[in-house]
C-alpha cells in the first residue's frame, strides 16, 4: 500500500533560519513522483516542488529544496532563510501513475510557524 | 492562463440536502480529481475522472458521485448530506499517466452542513 508519513504535527522556527520538514513514503512501484504543497489559511493548495523517482539530482525551486534519499524512502523539504509568509500547513504527497491507479496521496501535514 | 477554478467558494447546507460543486481544470489538463479535507487533516482522495468516466475511487460512500463533461470540467455531487460532510473540497487537475507533472489545485469549496 502507498503511504506518506509526516511525523511533525507542528514546528516553530525563528525568522531567517532554515527549516527541514520531514517526510517518508512507502510504495513498491518504481515510478512515482513526490511533491510538497503549501496550504495557507485561505485553503488553496500551492505547489512548491517536485521530485521524480528517477531523478538523479535533488530538486530545488528558489528557497525550497527537496532532500531525496531514495534508499531511505525519505523526501524532506528544506526551506532556506525562512520568512514570516512561510507560516502555513505543509503537505508531502506522492503520485504513482500506474495504469488506472493515478491519484495523489497526502500526508497529514506539518503546521509551520515562523517567529519574528 | 487560468488555473483550476472552483465554485462556489463557500456553501452552507442543511442535513439531508444535496449539493453540487464545480471545477474547471487548468488549460491542457484532461484529468480531474476530487479531495475532501476535514479540518486539521490532509486531503483524502474521493475519485478521479478521465475521458468522462470515473477512473478510480477512494473510500467514500455512493452518496458521493461525480461527472466530467466533454470540456474536461467536472462536478461533485453529494446527496443526503451529513454533518460529517463539512469540509474543504479540493479539485485538482493533471495530465493523465505522467508522474512528472504536478497536479494543480483550485482554491477549494468550503462546505458547512448544519
Amino acid at each position: 500500500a502507498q503511504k506518506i508519513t509526516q511525523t511533525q504535527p507542528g514546528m516553530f522556527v525563528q525568522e531567517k533560519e532554515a527549516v527541514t520538514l520531514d517526510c517518508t513514503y512507502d510504495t513498491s512501484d518504481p515510478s512515482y513522483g513526490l511533491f510538497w504543497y503549501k496550504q495557507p489559511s485561505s485553503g488553496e493548495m500551492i505547489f512548491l516542488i517536485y521530485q521524480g523517482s528517477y531523478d538523479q539530482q535533488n530538486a530545488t525551486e528558489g528557497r525550497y529544496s527537496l532532500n531525496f534519499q531514495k534508499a531511505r524512502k525519505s523526501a524532506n523539504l528544506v526551506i532556506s532563510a525562512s520568512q514570516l509568509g512561510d507560516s502555513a500547513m505543509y503537505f508531502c504527497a506522492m503520485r504513482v501513475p500506474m495504469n488506472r491507479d493515478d491519484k495523489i496521496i497526502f500526508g497529514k501535514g506539518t503546521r509551520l510557524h515562523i517567529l519574528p | 492562463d487560468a488555473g483550476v477554478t472552483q465554485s462556489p467558494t463557500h456553501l452552507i447546507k442543511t442535513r439531508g440536502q444535496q449539493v453540487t460543486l464545480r471545477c474547471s481544470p487548468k488549460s491542457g489538463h484532461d484529468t480531474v480529481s476530487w479531495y475532501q479535507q476535514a479540518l486539521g487533516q490532509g486531503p483524502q482522495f474521493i475519485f478521479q475522472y478521465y475521458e468522462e468516466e470515473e477512473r478510480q475511487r477512494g473510500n467514500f460512500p455512493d452518496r458521493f458521485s461525480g461527472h466530467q463533461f466533454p470540456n474536461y470540467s467536472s462536478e461533485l455531487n453529494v446527496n443526503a448530506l451529513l454533518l460529517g460532510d463539512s469540509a474543504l473540497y479540493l479539485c485538482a487537475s493533471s495530465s493523465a499517466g505522467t508522474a512528472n507533472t504536478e497536479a494543480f489545485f483550485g482554491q477549494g469549496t468550503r462546505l458547512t452542513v448544519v
Side-chain angles (χ1 to χ4, degrees), chain A residues 8-21:
Chain A
Q8 306 154 309
M11 287 187 70
F12 289 83
V13 174
Q14 208 68 41
E15 189 181 8
K16 299 181 184 176
E17 289 184 351
V19 57
T20 298
L21 305 181

Side-chain angles (χ1 to χ4, degrees), chain B residues 28-99:
Chain B
H29 283 179
D30 55 11
T31 302
V32 173
S33 303
W34 287 92
Y35 293 81
Q36 180 195 65
Q37 186 179 16
L39 199 62
Q41 301 293 318
Q44 298 293 314
F45 176 76
I46 302 175
F47 45 51
Q48 183 181 86
Y49 277 85
Y50 171 68
E51 292 187 340
E52 301 180 51
E53 289 189 358
E54 182 181 293
R55 188 157 79 159
Q56 57 174 319
R57 188 178 184 92
N59 189 24
F60 279 81
D62 292 343
R63 297 187 298 109
F64 289 77
S65 63
H67 189 77
Q68 186 179 35
F69 299 94
N71 66 353
Y72 306 119
S73 67
S74 176
E75 288 182 348
L76 163 65
N77 301 292
V78 186
N79 295 321
L81 284 166
L82 304 174
L83 295 179
D85 295 331
S86 295
L88 179 68
Y89 288 84
L90 293 163
C91 168
S93 75
S94 57
S95 293
T98 51

Side-chain angles (χ1 to χ4, degrees), chain A residues 31-33 35 37 39 41-45 47 50 89 91 95 97 99-108, chain B residues 35 37 40-43 45 48 54-56 88 90 94-103 105-107 110:
Chain A
S31 177
Y32 52 89
F35 308 86
Y37 288 89
Q39 188 178 45
S41 56
S42 61
E44 183 177 2
M45 201 66 82
F47 166 76
Y50 163 85
M89 278 292 281
F91 290 98
R95 182 180 177 196
N99 300 322
R100 294 172 62 88
D101 186 14
D102 180 4
K103 62 181 181 242
I104 297 179
I105 301 165
F106 288 85
K108 293 189 175 182
Chain B
Y35 293 81
Q37 186 179 16
Q41 301 293 318
F45 176 76
Q48 183 181 86
E54 182 181 293
R55 188 157 79 159
Q56 57 174 319
L88 179 68
L90 293 163
S94 57
S95 293
T98 51
N100 62 346
T101 56
E102 69 274 18
F105 284 81
Q107 80 281 14
R110 197 169 294 279

Side-chain angles (χ1 to χ4, degrees), chain A:
Chain A
Q2 293 145 7
K3 187 178 179 181
I4 293 282
T5 302
Q6 293 180 256
T7 57
Q8 306 154 309
M11 287 187 70
F12 289 83
V13 174
Q14 208 68 41
E15 189 181 8
K16 299 181 184 176
E17 289 184 351
V19 57
T20 298
L21 305 181
D22 295 340
C23 172
T24 57
Y25 61 92
D26 189 21
T27 180
S28 57
D29 296 294
S31 177
Y32 52 89
L34 296 160
F35 308 86
W36 278 92
Y37 288 89
K38 173 184 179 181
Q39 188 178 45
S41 56
S42 61
E44 183 177 2
M45 201 66 82
I46 301 169
F47 166 76
L48 296 178
I49 196 166
Y50 163 85
Q51 180 84 42
S53 58
Y54 295 119
D55 293 344
Q56 298 296 314
Q57 306 261 353
N58 284 346
T60 60
E61 290 285 347
R63 293 187 299 113
Y64 304 108
S65 60
L66 199 152
N67 184 2
F68 182 45
Q69 298 189 37
K70 196 170 183 177
R72 294 186 177 183
K73 293 191 174 178
S74 157
N76 298 341
L77 176 70
V78 180
I79 306 174
S80 63
S82 58
Q83 302 170 356
L84 295 179
D86 293 333
S87 294
M89 278 292 281
Y90 287 80
F91 290 98
C92 179
M94 176 170 63
R95 182 180 177 196
V96 183
M98 281 196 61
N99 300 322
R100 294 172 62 88
D101 186 14
D102 180 4
K103 62 181 181 242
I104 297 179
I105 301 165
F106 288 85
K108 293 189 175 182
T110 296
R111 183 166 296 281
L112 178 63
H113 303 269
I114 305 299
L115 305 172

